[in-house]
Amino acid sequence: MKNILITGGAGYKGVLLTAELLKLGHKVTILDNFMYGYDSILYLIQDPNLSINKVDIRNLKQNDVSGFDVIYHLAGISGMPACASNPHSAESINVDSVRLLVSLMSDDQLLINASTTSMYGFSTVICNEESIIEPVSIYGKTKLVSENIVQSRANSISLRFATVFGVSPKMRHDLMVNDFAYKAIVDRSLILFAGDTKRTFIHINDAIRAYIFALYNSDTMKGGVYNVGSNNMNLSKKDIATNIAQYVKFELIESNLPDYDKRDFEISFDKINKIGFTTKYTLDEGIRELIKVYSYHIQYIPYKII
Ligand SMILES: NC(=O)c1ccc[n+]([C@@H]2O[C@H](COP(=O)([O-])OP(=O)(O)OC[C@H]3O[C@@H](n4cnc5c(N)ncnc54)[C@H](O)[C@@H]3O)[C@@H](O)[C@H]2O)c1
């Protein structure tokens, strides 16, 4: 049994990671400022191995960090729009707090960091962990700086996740697949900007599997940065919309206007595949799960959704 701290443990990924680590028999402390409330974690409260520490990560103290074998760092301002509208918070939470966290950790504590493929920005060649990175958003820029801070210590692993999709007790409706599914079902229309631009995607269950994989393979992985996703989930926005259209009837409007989000890239996941991590969950599975959730928002279903 390990004593594990998860910053951002009440978030979209954090709550499912907490649940999985508890299921595996570990002691888990969630450190979060609960800016989205407590609801996401209520179903875990009865577990005696769960502790809660309501702290803003900008005010971390030694006591918040000491005594843990492993720290998963997930707390942050996540995504391009949230960072663009709060650039100061993005800098202080995504960068300064990571510097503070690292300064409070001892060398024997393992740090597993939630990084992102969003930092690859725009590229015409397939990107891997060795590629030169030029982020196109404040989000990507802050995550790159914080990843460098994390990787300045030897006992750290950074996982550069593809854009996650799927259902969690703390939903994120802004993530692309989730957002498209919501609009298709509830608005019955979707305006597609820059539909041919590519991103890379991962089911939330696979993201959690990758966090667990890093814990159990830390001797091999520490000191390293890993893209987390799968080579067959480098998809265009139009691919995502077309996939949803298999299940839901909606109007797809293709706009010639540019997207504010300039990301366009393909990513190689060979490095993590080679050490034994492969994804298991498909885009279709995620979409079918999202449809079950978002159908709740419509009173009257004029056609069969699935
Ligand atoms: N979801 C994705 O597609 C994705 C992809 C790549 C990387 N990531 C990274 O994974 C991490 C988790 O993402 P998520 O999707 O679960 O996001 P989320 O926004 O759902 O979760 C973030 C959590 O951090 C907490 N938090 C925010 N500011 C805080 C502060 N100042 N002090 C303490 N807690 C604070 C929030 O309350 C929330 O519980 C983020 O670092 C994100 O950059 C996410």
Side-chain angles (χ1 to χ4, degrees):
M1 178 201 267
K2 292 209 183 295
N3 190 10
I4 298 176
L5 178 72
I6 308 183
T7 76
Y12 175 66
K13 283 191 290 171
V15 62
L16 290 178
L17 175 59
T18 302
E20 194 56 30
L21 289 167
L22 289 170
K23 211 190 290 171
L24 290 167
H26 299 291
K27 238 174 136 221
V28 181
T29 298
I30 291 177
L31 186 151
D32 204 296
N33 63 357
F34 295 95
M35 63 199 280
Y36 305 110
Y38 272 80
D39 286 1
S40 65
I41 61 157
L42 290 182
Y43 79 114
L44 300 172
I45 289 291
Q46 291 178 3
D47 195 311
N49 283 329
L50 176 70
S51 304
I52 309 290
N53 190 7
K54 183 172 187 282
V55 168
D56 190 301
I57 195 158
R58 287 168 287 193
N59 305 322
L60 269 188
K61 302 272 183 306
Q62 189 64 59
N63 272 352
D64 300 317
V65 173
S66 295
F68 296 99
D69 305 308
V70 180
I71 298 180
Y72 280 99
H73 176 59
L74 280 71
I77 304 293
S78 187
M80 189 277 277
C83 287
S85 53
N86 305 288
H88 178 72
S89 302
E91 184 70 26
S92 64
I93 297 172
N94 290 2
V95 178
D96 298 343
S97 301
V98 175
R99 203 171 280 118
L100 176 60
L101 171 66
V102 163
S103 74
L104 296 173
M105 287 183 70
S106 59
D107 292 349
D108 60 340
Q109 290 178 301
L110 172 67
L111 177 56
I112 302 177
N113 175 45
S115 192
T116 174
T117 54
S118 286
M119 62 176 64
Y120 288 108
F122 175 87
S123 177
T124 50
V125 294
I126 297 180
C127 303
N128 64 25
E129 292 82 351
E130 308 302 319
S131 303
I132 293 167
I133 295 177
E134 290 175 45
V136 292
S137 66
I138 295 173
Y139 176 57
K141 285 176 189 159
T142 57
K143 293 298 280 188
L144 177 58
V145 175
S146 65
E147 186 189 274
N148 288 335
I149 296 168
V150 166
Q151 294 307 127
S152 68
R153 61 193 296 285
N155 203 1
S156 292
I157 301 166
S158 281
L159 302 174
R160 290 181 183 163
F161 285 96
T163 300
V164 183
F165 59 87
V167 178
S168 158
K170 187 270 174 180
M171 273 306 281
R172 276 193 59 189
H173 305 295
D174 59 309
L175 296 167
M176 186 179 288
V177 178
N178 298 4
D179 176 51
F180 281 15
Y182 180 91
K183 285 177 177 148
I185 294 163
V186 180
D187 298 346
R188 302 179 68 195
S189 67
L190 174 64
I191 303 175
L192 207 54
F193 300 96
D196 292 326
T197 55
K198 283 195 161 178
R199 306 276 175 79
T200 175
F201 302 92
I202 184 169
H203 190 288
I204 190 157
N205 291 357
D206 281 321
I208 305 307
R209 288 179 57 246
Y211 280 120
I212 303 294
F213 182 86
L215 177 65
Y216 288 98
N217 293 276
S218 60
D219 284 345
T220 313
M221 294 176 76
K222 63 189 164 192
V225 167
Y226 294 83
N227 294 331
V228 180
S230 77
N231 291 341
N232 63 13
M233 268 221 240
N234 284 303
L235 301 170
S236 70
K237 295 185 196 175
K238 207 190 282 181
D239 292 333
I240 301 294
T242 311
N243 225 295
I244 295 170
Q246 292 181 96
Y247 302 101
V248 184
K249 203 168 166 188
F250 65 97
E251 189 178 5
L252 183 63
I253 303 155
E254 294 193 47
S255 169
N256 290 325
L257 293 173
D259 196 341
Y260 293 123
D261 190 338
K262 303 287 176 216
R263 278 176 293 166
D264 187 10
F265 49 64
E266 269 188 68
I267 307 286
S268 162
F269 298 95
D270 291 349
K271 184 176 175 185
I272 198 160
N273 289 164
K274 278 189 191 132
I275 58 164
F277 179 81
T278 50
T279 59
K280 282 209 307 212
Y281 295 86
T282 63
L283 179 64
D284 279 70
E285 283 170 290
I287 289 171
R288 287 198 294 264
E289 291 152 11
L290 287 162
I291 287 170
K292 285 190 212 166
V293 170
Y294 289 142
S295 300
Y296 163 81
H297 291 276
I298 37 182
Q299 302 291 320
Y300 166 68
I301 304 176
Y303 50 84
K304 192 168 164 38
I305 288 189
I306 299 182

